[in-house]
Amino acid sequence: MPDFIYLASQSPRRRQLLEQIGVRHELLLPGPDEDAEGLEAVLPGEEPADYVQRVTALKLDAAVARHARRGLAPAPILCSDTTVALGRRIYGKPEDAQDAVRMLSELSGHEHQVLTAVALQAGDRRLAALSVSRVRFAAMTPAQIAAYVASGEPMGKAGAYAIQGPVAQYVENLDGSYTGIMGLPLFETAGLLRAAWVL
C-alpha cells in the first residue's frame, strides 16, 4: 500500500488541511489542455447538494484519467469541491470584483449553507462523503464589503469569501464543519481514508 495519496486540487488550503492530519500527498493537477473550470457549470434547476457531488465526481473522473495518461505510480486519488448556497441559489467563484460584491451583499445578514463533497478513488473502489454546514453573516455595510473585496481574498473562493480570513469578524454563527467550510472536511476525509486503509 502506498504511503501517500494524490490530491487533485489547486487549493493551498486543502494541502494545509491534509498536512494537519499527517497525510502525505502529491499534487495531481490538470494540464493546460484540460478545461477544469468547465466542469463547474451548474445545470438548470440543479440542487446545491446534487451539484457539488456531481462536480466532485467529474473532477475525480478527470484526475483518474490524468493519472493513467501520465503513467504515475499507483496511489489513492482525492478530490473535493465546495459550493455556497443561499436557499437553492448556488454561489461559485466570483467572476470579478463586482460579482464578489454582489455575492457578499446577498449573503450579508443571512444564513447560508456551505457544502463540500469529497471523493476518493482507491484502486477500483470509489468512496464519497458530503459535509453540509450553516453560516450566518451579520449585516455588512457596503464599505465593509468593498474593503474586503479590495483585499483580493474573495477571488477564487466559493461564495466570495474565506472563513479563515478577515471575513471571520462578520460570522455571527457557524453550525457544522469549520474545515469543511475551508474546503476539506477533515472528519469525513479521514473516514474515507480509513475506509480505504490509507489512514
Side-chain angles (χ1 to χ4, degrees):
M1 179 63 70
D3 62 350
F4 74 97
I5 66 168
Y6 291 105
L7 174 63
S9 172
Q10 305 194 43
S11 164
R13 295 166 300 286
R14 292 189 178 117
R15 297 196 69 181
Q16 290 163 5
L17 289 166
L18 283 178
E19 287 163 7
Q20 185 178 326
I21 58 170
V23 176
R24 284 190 59 233
H25 58 279
E26 294 183 10
L27 294 181
L28 181 59
L29 301 180
D33 55 326
E34 294 183 62
D35 181 16
E37 295 296 319
L39 298 178
E40 298 180 6
V42 182
L43 300 177
E46 195 167 24
E47 293 284 348
D50 295 335
Y51 165 76
V52 75
Q53 292 176 99
R54 179 181 61 81
V55 169
T56 301
L58 288 174
K59 288 184 174 182
L60 187 51
D61 289 342
V64 169
R66 187 181 313 137
H67 176 270
R69 206 165 50 243
R70 295 178 185 172
L72 299 170
I77 301 170
L78 183 73
C79 240
S80 186
D81 193 67
T82 301
T83 198
V84 168
L86 184 61
R88 291 185 60 182
R89 180 180 290 189
I90 293 169
Y91 292 74
K93 298 166 186 165
E95 293 175 9
D96 52 29
Q98 186 177 350
D99 197 30
V101 168
R102 174 192 65 81
M103 289 186 185
L104 291 164
S105 300
E106 291 175 6
L107 296 176
S108 170
H110 294 99
E111 182 179 272
H112 62 269
Q113 287 190 322
V114 182
L115 305 94
T116 298
V118 186
L120 180 74
Q121 188 78 35
D124 294 334
R125 297 174 68 201
R126 179 169 293 201
L127 307 167
L130 177 66
S131 165
V132 181
S133 302
R134 291 194 298 275
V135 178
R136 181 175 182 83
F137 280 166
M140 290 180 271
T141 66
Q144 289 168 333
I145 290 172
Y148 180 55
V149 172
S151 75
E153 188 173 80
M155 306 316 294
K157 315 283 194 311
Y161 75 91
I163 192 76
Q164 71 276 18
V167 82
Q169 66 191 298
Y170 304 114
V171 176
E172 201 172 286
N173 189 59
L174 186 160
D175 181 16
S177 168
Y178 186 82
T179 55
I181 296 165
M182 281 181 69
L184 189 70
L186 289 182
F187 178 79
E188 288 82 356
T189 301
L192 297 186
L193 292 171
R194 286 191 195 101
W197 307 101
V198 177
L199 193 61

